[in-house]
Amino acid sequence: MARFLARRLALAVGILLVLSFAIYGLLDVALDPLSDLRENPAPNRDEMIANRVRLLNLDLPWYQRYLMWLGDFVRGDFGLAWKTMQPVGSLVQSAVATSIQLIFAATIISILTGVTIGLISALRQYTSFDYVITFISFLLYSLPVFWVAVLLKQFFAIGVNDYIAAPTINWPAVIIASVVSGLFWAGALGGRRRKKLIVFGSAFGITLALLAALLLSGWVSNPQIGIVGIALGSVAAALAVTSLFAGINNRRALYAALTAAVVGAIVWWPLQWLFVLVEMNWLWMVGLLALAMVICAGIGWLYGGPDRNVSMRGAMIVGLFTSVLIFLDRVLQTWPQYYNASEINGRPIATLGAQTPGLNADFWMAQLDRATHLLLPTIALVLISFATYTRYERGAMLEVLNQDYIRTARAKGLSERVVIVRHALRNALMPLASVVPVDFITLIGGAVITETIFSWAGMGRLFIDSMNNQEVDPVMFYIMLTGALAMIANLIADFLYAIIDPRIRVNA
């Protein structure tokens, strides 16, 4: 392993050196830092040109400037954005944080939804559900992201803000949403016609009742989860996780998951006092989450069962889900103050920037403000990425389901859940192991169009602005950072392959 890492590190350094040399030479041809001064009618133009030549060492050949830049870069001096006279390190630090903030939620949601829908589509091959999902996937994949982003700003943001200001119950829309929910679950679960009708009716009724309750109770004007929502959501998560990963007949795993759900609902009340008495930050959040995971792992260990790891894993997943619900509930408690703030002006769904300027917010309101700014760009990125992951997972799962070991597993009498979850899914995830890390790193490099439309000062915007300003140092740092991250992504993909497929070994 050490030899493998050393070899890959040496190869990465060599590639980055060649890349930096080539890019610096190309930038010397493409950029002209003196272009604005040549057109300047000021009487001291020659003096300004001389000062800039001296500042940027433009009197030296480009390869000598490259060696000077490389020496400074190795020593940790990343140069200067000479237009604003700001250090490149500080600019990139804020830009990377902004880009990660934008893409993290979008990537996680895209993977979870894309893999799930792709898996179900493969299991329902050549059914109406499969055809609809295939059509939607190709449709979303073909949509240009700038067009989706503009439509979201024009219709979704304006429409939702207007609706929040004067909410009304649109019963035809509620019924249509309930019908779509019924059709989705009937197609996803499949079965004979009688089963489909039962599933459709149940999903239709539950969706209709839930939407009617939310709208009639004024939830749109004052959204919240509350202890009842957390308890119901946690119990539902416990049942779903147990059914999927352990089987509902595994009583110890089921009891462990349900106990984790009950404990999570019980601690909701003391946590409300803690959130008031202690000034929260992300360090506190990470510590509380780690404590929750330890407690849930202990619950699973105490229940034990035929496979103690299954009970522990199920309890921890439920604990994570419950922790997220508690966090969201506390964030939504600040909605009235946030909505009535003068800086928000009754328009909470933001269309520009990463945060509201001048907003006097505590930790919780700051998270709500960040979420409202994340909503539209996240939806835009999810719609495009979701289609890609759906198609990848569907194709991979169909290939796996035709393998001999799947037929052998079924012939041995294993349940369909065990065949799909423990045998097929793990191998069907292998193509994504090489796609997801690269996609994530690519987005860190900058979702240029999305960041531009929504005015996010991320890596994409930094690159475009630096090119427009004829600034070499920020562009070079961007190239080096994204190149290094791309190599790290490929290294992570190699390790993921070794984790998913025990036949693969990572060595020299």
Side-chain angles (χ1 to χ4, degrees):
M1 180 66 69
R3 290 196 302 270
F4 172 80
L5 291 175
R7 186 182 63 181
R8 291 293 294 269
L9 181 61
L11 180 62
V13 171
I15 292 175
L16 286 177
L17 284 175
V18 174
L19 175 67
S20 63
F21 182 79
I23 293 297
Y24 202 98
L26 292 174
L27 289 177
D28 182 69
V29 176
L31 301 184
D32 183 10
L34 302 176
S35 59
D36 59 323
L37 294 182
R38 291 194 178 96
E39 301 174 357
N40 194 328
N44 61 337
R45 182 182 62 181
D46 294 338
E47 181 181 352
M48 291 189 295
I49 292 177
N51 291 335
R52 186 171 299 178
V53 168
R54 192 180 310 110
L55 173 67
L56 303 178
N57 296 313
L58 298 179
D59 53 335
L60 299 177
W62 70 268
Y63 51 86
Q64 290 188 8
R65 297 202 304 273
Y66 166 76
L67 293 176
M68 294 171 60
W69 169 85
L70 183 62
D72 293 338
F73 187 87
V74 172
R75 289 192 296 269
D77 182 4
F78 305 127
L80 194 70
W82 59 266
K83 281 254 178 168
T84 58
M85 300 304 292
Q86 289 182 308
V88 172
S90 61
L91 289 176
V92 173
Q93 183 178 2
S94 60
V96 169
T98 302
S99 290
I100 292 178
Q101 178 182 326
L102 173 60
I103 68 173
F104 184 78
T107 303
I108 297 299
I109 295 172
S110 299
I111 293 172
L112 293 178
T113 56
V115 169
T116 303
I117 299 300
L119 169 63
I120 298 174
S121 181
L123 296 177
R124 302 288 177 260
Q125 186 183 18
Y126 301 139
T127 63
S128 299
F129 180 85
D130 183 34
Y131 290 135
V132 171
I133 293 300
T134 300
F135 171 77
I136 293 175
S137 298
F138 279 116
L139 177 64
L140 293 177
Y141 187 77
S142 62
L143 294 178
V145 65
F146 67 87
W147 186 72
V148 174
V150 171
L151 288 182
L152 287 173
K153 290 179 65 174
Q154 182 66 30
F155 296 103
F156 187 86
I158 296 176
V160 170
N161 283 326
D162 291 342
Y163 183 79
I164 293 175
T168 57
I169 302 178
N170 187 340
W171 288 110
V174 171
I175 293 175
I176 291 175
S178 302
V179 170
V180 171
S181 174
L183 292 174
F184 173 84
W185 286 108
L189 297 180
R192 297 182 180 273
R193 179 177 299 179
R194 183 173 180 272
K195 178 184 177 182
K196 289 183 178 180
L197 290 175
I198 293 175
V199 172
F200 173 83
S202 301
F204 175 85
I206 293 173
T207 305
L208 181 63
L210 180 61
L211 291 178
L214 292 177
L215 294 174
L216 291 173
S217 64
W219 188 89
V220 174
S221 300
N222 186 20
Q224 54 184 319
I225 300 176
I227 182 62
V228 175
I230 291 174
L232 293 177
S234 300
V235 171
L239 295 174
V241 168
T242 305
S243 300
L244 185 61
F245 294 106
I248 205 69
N249 294 326
N250 189 334
R251 297 301 179 185
R252 292 183 180 272
L254 176 61
Y255 296 154
L258 289 174
T259 302
V262 172
V263 170
I266 291 174
V267 301
W268 175 86
W269 179 255
L271 283 177
Q272 304 307 304
W273 287 98
L274 178 66
F275 293 154
V276 172
L277 297 176
V278 178
E279 184 177 352
M280 286 290 144
N281 52 43
W282 280 112
L283 184 61
W284 267 97
M285 292 295 101
V286 173
L288 291 174
L289 179 61
L291 178 61
M293 293 297 97
V294 171
I295 293 174
C296 291
I299 292 173
W301 187 86
L302 291 175
Y303 274 102
D307 189 348
R308 179 171 271 123
N309 291 332
V310 173
S311 300
M312 294 175 63
R313 182 169 62 243
M316 292 176 69
I317 294 175
V318 174
L320 176 62
F321 180 80
T322 305
S323 300
V324 172
L325 286 182
I326 294 175
F327 177 82
L328 294 177
D329 174 71
R330 183 59 185 87
V331 170
L332 288 175
Q333 290 179 25
T334 64
W335 178 268
Q337 296 86 354
Y338 178 75
Y339 183 81
N340 295 317
S342 58
E343 294 83 1
I344 302 303
N345 196 27
R347 313 291 291 182
I349 307 301
T351 58
L352 296 174
Q355 59 186 3
T356 302
L359 180 65
N360 184 18
D362 61 2
F363 172 78
W364 301 106
M365 188 181 293
Q367 307 315 309
L368 180 59
D369 181 61
R370 188 171 290 115
T372 58
H373 285 79
L374 277 170
L375 183 61
L376 295 186
T378 297
I379 292 176
L381 293 175
V382 165
L383 289 177
I384 306 302
S385 301
F386 161 81
T388 303
Y389 294 135
T390 299
R391 301 311 302 164
Y392 270 117
E393 184 60 23
R394 180 184 181 275
M397 179 57 70
L398 287 176
E399 182 179 357
V400 169
L401 290 176
N402 291 323
Q403 299 296 317
D404 290 338
Y405 67 88
I406 297 297
R407 286 190 288 269
T408 302
R410 285 172 172 156
K412 289 166 60 178
L414 297 179
S415 65
E416 190 67 11
R417 179 194 63 81
V418 174
V419 172
I420 299 301
V421 175
R422 294 197 176 184
H423 293 273
L425 180 59
R426 181 168 183 169
N427 289 306
L429 291 176
M430 288 189 64
L432 292 180
S434 60
V435 174
V436 172
V438 177
D439 283 354
F440 190 81
I441 296 304
T442 301
L443 287 175
I444 290 180
V448 179
I449 298 176
T450 306
E451 290 179 1
T452 301
I453 292 176
F454 292 104
S455 297
W456 277 66
M459 289 296 292
R461 280 286 301 277
L462 174 65
F463 176 76
I464 295 298
D465 292 343
S466 299
M467 290 292 290
N468 291 333
N469 292 335
Q470 315 292 325
E471 296 173 325
V472 174
D473 288 350
V475 175
M476 286 301 299
F477 189 95
Y478 173 89
I479 297 297
M480 296 294 285
L481 177 63
T482 53
L485 290 177
M487 296 175 190
I488 292 174
N490 284 282
L491 184 62
I492 293 174
D494 290 340
F495 281 105
L496 287 178
Y497 263 97
I499 293 173
I500 295 174
D501 190 346
R503 297 172 299 177
I504 296 176
R505 291 292 179 264
V506 176
N507 51 44

